[in-house]
Amino acid sequence: MSHWLVLYDIRDAKRLRRVAKTIQNYGTRAQKSVFELEVEAEQISKLRKKIQKIIADEDYVVYFNLCEADWQKREKYGKGRYDEEPNEEYYIY
């Protein structure tokens, strides 16, 4: 099992929702466009392929593979999880 931090900047609301829902099947939302994943190597490969089919040239997704030592060093303050989907549409420019 490996640990991943995935973040994205998606320019279209429809693609944004699709990307978020896809990643949500693999991990936990930490912020609006940031997810924490604990997955096997083949799962991250599948996720990357799925995301690549959704995004456009103007979008980007970043995958950070974190070693166990760094994963254990993470510190969280405040609310433990980000569970809410915003009711309004938003764009990141």
Side-chain angles (χ1 to χ4, degrees):
M1 187 83 59
S2 56
H3 305 283
W4 294 83
L5 189 64
V6 180
L7 55 103
Y8 54 83
D9 181 6
I10 309 298
R11 301 296 176 134
D12 175 75
K14 184 177 178 182
R15 289 193 313 268
L16 177 74
R17 284 189 296 276
R18 287 183 64 202
V19 167
K21 286 183 180 186
T22 301
I23 300 173
Q24 210 164 20
N25 292 326
Y26 290 82
T28 304
R29 185 185 293 269
Q31 292 182 357
K32 288 184 180 181
S33 61
V34 180
F35 283 83
E36 295 175 339
L37 284 62
E38 293 183 67
V39 295
E40 299 293 337
E42 57 272 1
Q43 289 176 304
I44 200 73
S45 179
K46 286 180 185 180
L47 174 63
R48 284 179 171 171
K49 289 176 185 176
K50 288 179 182 179
I51 296 298
Q52 193 61 37
K53 291 178 182 178
I54 298 170
I55 63 174
D57 289 339
E58 63 201 32
D59 304 328
Y60 73 88
V61 180
V62 181
Y63 303 85
F64 293 96
N65 186 358
L66 303 174
C67 69
E68 182 64 31
D70 287 337
W71 186 258
Q72 294 303 321
K73 290 178 191 175
R74 74 189 191 284
E75 296 180 25
K76 293 184 179 183
Y77 297 94
K79 195 173 177 186
R81 288 180 50 166
Y82 182 88
D83 289 327
E84 286 182 33
E85 280 293 321
N87 292 332
E88 74 281 351
E89 293 185 1
Y90 58 92
Y91 298 90
I92 302 171
Y93 293 100

